[in-house]
Amino acid sequence: MSSSASNTASGEPNKASGQFHSAKGTVVETIGNVTGATTWQQSGKEEHAAGEGEYKASQAKGYAEGTADRIGGKKDSVVGAVTGDKAQQAAGNARDDKGEAQQTVNRSV
């Protein structure tokens, strides 16, 4: 397990932790470059890569969760429309909208 992933409390990928470790790795690598310390250079590269990986994993997880919400929301909306249950239909539409927003936030650029 990467040092970045092991630093999250839940063991789940986390965007903030990933960004922190990516930036910290860049700083450590730069110090290594300036001082000529190859161990710092390598350590910084590894931490930066682990941070980037954690960020991407968190992004993918969030996008997948948004997809699941959209599917569940569409199902609830259709069932509500077919059965005439306006509350279920509205809840399904809201869940679909929430999932769409989550997908947008976690979309890779």
Side-chain angles (χ1 to χ4, degrees), residues 61-99:
K61 181 178 181 286
Y63 191 87
E65 289 170 352
T67 300
D69 276 343
R70 290 195 73 188
I71 291 169
K74 287 194 184 302
K75 177 201 61 93
D76 287 345
S77 179
V78 168
V79 169
V82 169
T83 62
D85 186 342
K86 297 293 183 192
Q88 183 177 14
Q89 185 176 2
N93 288 335
R95 185 174 175 195
D96 177 50
D97 291 345
K98 175 185 167 224

Side-chain angles (χ1 to χ4, degrees), residues 6 12 15 18 24 27 29-30 39 41 44 46 48 50 56 65 70-71 75 89 95 97:
S6 65
E12 299 263 333
K15 282 184 180 179
K24 180 181 170 200
V27 170
E29 182 181 2
T30 301
T39 56
Q41 292 171 351
E46 289 172 3
H48 174 78
K56 293 286 186 188
E65 289 170 352
R70 290 195 73 188
I71 291 169
K75 177 201 61 93
Q89 185 176 2
R95 185 174 175 195
D97 291 345

Side-chain angles (χ1 to χ4, degrees), residues 27-50:
V27 170
V28 170
E29 182 181 2
T30 301
I31 292 170
N33 289 338
V34 169
T35 63
T38 57
T39 56
W40 280 59
Q41 292 171 351
Q42 186 60 34
S43 174
K45 284 180 186 178
E46 289 172 3
E47 185 159 6
H48 174 78

Side-chain angles (χ1 to χ4, degrees), residues 14-21 54-55 58:
N14 180 292
K15 282 184 180 179
S17 175
Q19 287 176 320
F20 169 78
H21 287 286
E54 181 177 1
Y55 182 86
S58 177

